[in-house]
Amino acid sequence: MEHITLNPATSARGDIKLPGSKSISNRVLLLAALSAKGETTRVRDVLDSDDIRVMLAALNTLGVSVTQVAEHDYDVIGTGGDFPNKDADLFMGNAGTAIRPLTAVLALQNGTYHLHGVPRMHERPIGDLIDALRQIGAQVEYKGNDGFPPFVLSPAVLPDGDLSLSIKGNVSSQFLTAVLMAAPLLKRTLTIHVVDELISKPYIEITLNLMARFGVNVTRNGWSSFTIEAGAAYTSPKEIYVEGDASSASYFLALGALGGGPLRVTGVGLSSIQGDVRFANALQMMGANVMMGENWIEVRGIHHEDDPDETQLKGIELDCNHIPDAAMTLAAAALFAKGSTKLTNIASWRVKETDRLSAMATELRKVGATVEEGADYIVVTPPTKDAWQHAAIDTYDDHRMAMCFSLVALSKVGVTINDPKCVGKTFPTYFEVLQSLLK
Ligand SMILES: O=C(O)C1=C[C@@H](OP(=O)(O)O)[C@@H](O)[C@H](O)C1
Ligand SMILES: C=C(OP(=O)(O)O)C(=O)O
């Protein structure tokens, strides 16, 4: 198996420009494609990674004009919400931000579409979204297991008059995002009722913010209902910049905290629309020194009084429902803290790229930590000074497992990461950027 060994490093410092946000790139590419017919949107600073390639390839197959005009910039021509190709087979890889919104949009295209992905995608739930879409007439036939891809969408049969549906929010917020983004295609007033507790709420704020940038304002009643009026239609903002990826920022911010810093990331900051910028607050709770500008975040560690080479973070207890992706980075940073760290309300970890609660517990133990794995929480107690082990970390085809465990390079034993190329899902150049910061 391919692997990368990171030798023990004593510090991490430097300045990096973040790659574009996965969540924003995929939303904006789709919204640009749904904008008024013939309008061109120049989308700048798009992330170059597997998940975005899945969206770009799907739009291309669907007959949308998407032209790369510079390394990270694309011109997308609006279709008025009506894709030219009405019959397509679409490979969705393992990209939640591609398959979920596209399912809702394609269910309303008056066409026939076969959606499928990698084997893990076929284990990731989508039933709550399909159930919601069926309430407004979507025609969906599962081709494997009910509630999971693969499936075939056929032309919807819409009921008359104003529409409403109920959607469950407790497995993934991407289902609500998908229905919100597709709603203007109905050209009827749609009211969405959210049942059960909605998780990962900040991602809904990203969705609403970007829909507004494309001219669609959603009326909301807190987190319980959302209404999109009949006259809503996407219009192109002509040009839009994708922020840096706040989840990718978390690895570097943690490195700065553990490796002394100063470590500055540019691309996200006070004006970010991504919830994962709040990872910086969690690091602050652990004792790191954090500064933020509009478009940058800088972190320094707190040095141990007796040993200036050691940073001294402290364990925390935190409800991480609002930062499900960056929370994984806290679990890895917890290896270096004084005392235990308990991360709660993270049941969704089990249905992502892998069962992340189980994978995280297994790999943290290999390094020497004591770990308690609950149904929806994890408690990490760091190894004692002599209990650190150099481990070969399995990554379960999960980019975040690989990136999180790279923090262990700052221990006295270093770390080996198996199958490091899995970072291609969101950050293909991660290990090169990392090496430039470690000393
Ligand atoms: O909407 C989005 O862009 C995302 C929502 C989150 O998923 P859940 O809502 O399933 O927690 C997050 O984990 C994922 O990486 C991206
Ligand atoms: C959960 C993730 O991805 P997806 O968009 O496929 O849900 C992730 O990137 O951590």
Side-chain angles (χ1 to χ4, degrees):
M1 178 186 296
E2 219 178 301
H3 62 267
I4 183 168
T5 294
L6 302 170
N7 293 322
T10 51
S11 70
R13 67 171 66 99
D15 233 318
I16 62 138
K17 182 176 182 299
L18 293 165
S21 154
K22 169 196 75 169
S23 295
I24 298 177
S25 295
N26 269 351
R27 281 169 172 79
V28 166
L29 290 169
L30 182 56
L31 292 171
L34 296 175
S35 291
K37 199 172 173 65
E39 283 186 355
T40 301
T41 306
R42 179 154 296 182
V43 189
R44 292 195 184 272
D45 295 344
V46 173
L47 172 63
D48 178 13
S49 81
D50 293 349
D51 278 12
I52 309 311
R53 271 175 228 132
V54 160
M55 177 63 88
L56 289 168
L59 293 176
N60 190 45
T61 304
L62 291 163
V64 179
S65 166
V66 181
T67 311
Q68 186 167 11
V69 292
E71 194 183 356
H72 295 285
D73 301 348
Y74 291 82
D75 279 353
V76 182
I77 303 185
T79 60
D82 189 22
F83 292 153
N85 192 344
K86 297 296 175 197
D87 191 344
D89 181 275
L90 298 167
F91 174 69
M92 299 277 96
N94 196 7
T97 55
I99 194 172
R100 275 85 183 248
L102 276 171
T103 295
V105 165
L106 294 175
L108 305 176
Q109 284 298 311
N110 238 341
T112 306
Y113 303 100
H114 177 215
L115 274 69
H116 54 98
V118 300
R120 176 61 182 172
M121 179 61 103
H122 297 176
E123 296 173 351
R124 295 185 66 187
I126 198 162
D128 295 342
L129 173 59
I130 302 292
D131 290 350
L133 294 169
R134 280 177 167 160
Q135 293 166 47
I136 54 168
Q139 304 296 310
V140 187
E141 193 189 336
Y142 289 114
K143 291 294 181 187
N145 294 323
D146 279 6
F148 301 85
F151 51 82
V152 172
L153 303 166
S154 319
V157 186
L158 298 187
D160 291 331
D162 287 351
L163 301 169
S164 78
L165 60 79
S166 296
I167 187 161
K168 289 181 69 177
N170 62 345
V171 171
S172 170
S173 71
Q174 292 178 2
F175 306 151
L176 175 57
T177 279
V179 176
L180 284 165
M181 287 177 73
L185 306 192
L186 289 164
K187 307 212 181 316
R188 314 257 193 98
T189 297
L190 172 70
T191 302
I192 304 166
H193 299 279
V194 180
V195 293
D196 291 334
E197 180 68 12
L198 177 66
I199 64 163
S200 306
K201 292 187 179 77
Y203 289 96
I204 300 302
E205 299 287 8
I206 299 180
T207 303
L208 296 175
N209 184 301
L210 294 174
M211 286 172 67
R213 299 278 293 279
F214 282 83
V216 171
N217 291 299
V218 177
T219 310
R220 66 192 281 187
N221 177 9
W223 296 105
S224 63
S225 72
F226 299 83
T227 301
I228 299 92
E229 298 296 336
Y234 292 119
T235 53
S236 168
K238 311 294 180 231
E239 180 177 50
I240 187 162
Y241 283 82
V242 174
E243 290 178 11
D245 194 296
S247 315
S248 299
S250 71
Y251 312 108
F252 302 114
L253 299 178
L255 283 162
L258 303 173
L263 205 154
R264 180 182 284 221
V265 298
T266 304
V268 294
L270 291 170
S271 62
S272 173
I273 63 169
Q274 297 168 76
D276 267 6
V277 286
R278 287 174 62 192
F279 172 80
N281 303 123
L283 271 188
Q284 242 164 351
M285 281 173 70
M286 293 182 89
N289 198 323
V290 179
M291 289 194 297
M292 253 198 226
E294 286 306 310
N295 190 34
W296 56 267
I297 308 177
E298 186 174 299
V299 175
R300 292 161 199 257
I302 303 268
H303 284 284
H304 195 280
E305 301 124 33
D306 315 322
D307 181 355
D309 283 342
E310 286 220 356
T311 51
Q312 191 61 80
L313 297 184
K314 58 176 185 292
I316 56 170
E317 177 165 345
L318 188 67
D319 180 331
C320 289
N321 199 272
H322 62 300
I323 51 167
D325 294 354
M328 290 177 74
T329 315
L330 291 177
L335 285 169
F336 297 85
K338 190 163 184 234
S340 302
T341 289
K342 181 173 187 180
L343 308 177
T344 62
N345 210 356
I346 47 172
S348 72
W349 277 21
R350 295 207 183 270
V351 292
K352 303 218 176 191
E353 280 75 338
T354 184
D355 177 341
R356 289 176 165 173
L357 271 162
S358 158
M360 191 49 91
T362 304
E363 302 308 311
L364 287 169
R365 285 182 190 124
K366 283 190 191 168
V367 178
T370 304
V371 183
E372 181 188 339
E373 176 196 338
D376 65 350
Y377 71 89
I378 191 165
V379 185
V380 183
T381 306
T384 53
K385 212 167 181 175
D386 302 323
W388 281 88
Q389 303 279 341
H390 180 103
I393 299 297
D394 287 318
T395 48
Y396 308 79
D397 210 10
D398 184 347
H399 53 142
R400 300 201 191 285
M401 287 296 289
M403 295 189 279
C404 282
F405 277 88
S406 72
L407 303 187
V408 180
L410 286 168
S411 72
K412 293 206 158 51
V413 294
V415 66
T416 296
I417 308 281
N418 288 335
D419 188 22
K421 291 216 174 92
C422 65
V423 297
K425 188 173 193 285
T426 55
F427 201 157
T429 58
Y430 178 75
F431 284 101
E432 287 118 70
V433 177
L434 173 76
Q435 299 278 19
S436 74
L437 299 169
L438 294 176
K439 308 270 160 8

